[in-house]
Amino acid sequence: MLLEASIEERKQKAVTSVFKVVFPDTTNHHNTMFGGRVIMMMTETAFMTATRFCRKNFVIVSSDKIDFKKPIPAGSLVEMVGEVESIGNTSIRIRVNVYREKMREDERIQVVTGVFTLVALNDNFKPIAILD
């Protein structure tokens, strides 16, 4: 089992930032980003974060409440930040916060947040320990 200090170091190294631009093909009839597209990008970020934490195969098994606090207009820059929230035996919880930046203004605000649970799998698709 890893020491607690090693786990904290791995958590810090696993923090994952993904940037996107909101182009018209990702917006709805309100000219804001589709919620489903945001959730898809959040799940990808959660997967990358878990993988970076322990370099295992993962599947997402659940998501907690996803809060959409503010709209994301077309032409915005979007940043998803994934962080390890907690570690179980075979599962890991990843918090993903989404931030919006306006293209021509120095403003960065949190607009969406959610937590995803992933399970580590072996090559036979059976759950395995997160920490060896």
Side-chain angles (χ1 to χ4, degrees):
M1 186 82 148
L2 293 171
L3 297 173
E4 197 63 37
S6 297
I7 291 172
E8 287 306 314
E9 288 173 11
R10 285 171 70 170
K11 283 182 178 182
Q12 287 303 311
K13 288 181 181 178
V15 172
T16 302
S17 290
V18 178
F19 287 86
K20 299 283 186 182
V21 176
V22 182
F23 289 114
D25 67 331
T26 62
T27 61
N28 58 27
H29 60 288
H30 299 293
N31 207 28
T32 59
M33 192 166 207
F34 282 119
R37 181 66 64 102
V38 175
I39 294 170
M40 180 190 77
M41 293 185 323
M42 291 174 76
T43 59
E44 289 173 351
T45 303
F47 174 80
M48 287 184 266
T49 305
T51 301
R52 293 181 73 211
F53 179 77
C54 64
R55 305 296 175 178
K56 301 200 177 185
N57 294 319
F58 283 97
V59 292
I60 293 179
V61 295
S62 70
S63 62
D64 286 358
K65 183 177 167 187
I66 297 174
D67 290 320
F68 291 84
K69 299 172 184 174
K70 299 219 180 254
I72 306 171
S76 300
L77 299 174
V78 178
E79 178 185 13
M80 280 76 53
V81 180
E83 298 181 62
V84 175
E85 186 173 85
S86 63
I87 306 156
N89 183 37
T90 61
S91 65
I92 188 168
R93 287 173 49 91
I94 307 293
R95 174 170 299 282
V96 179
N97 293 316
V98 180
Y99 300 90
R100 176 189 80 200
E101 294 182 22
K102 293 183 177 180
M103 288 274 203
R104 297 188 179 121
E105 295 177 27
D106 191 19
E107 174 194 60
R108 179 178 185 264
I109 60 170
Q110 185 176 344
V111 292
V112 184
T113 189
V115 178
F116 301 85
T117 302
L118 298 90
V119 171
L121 300 178
N122 65 17
D123 292 338
N124 296 318
F125 305 104
K126 301 291 181 198
I128 56 173
I130 297 286
L131 302 173
D132 297 319

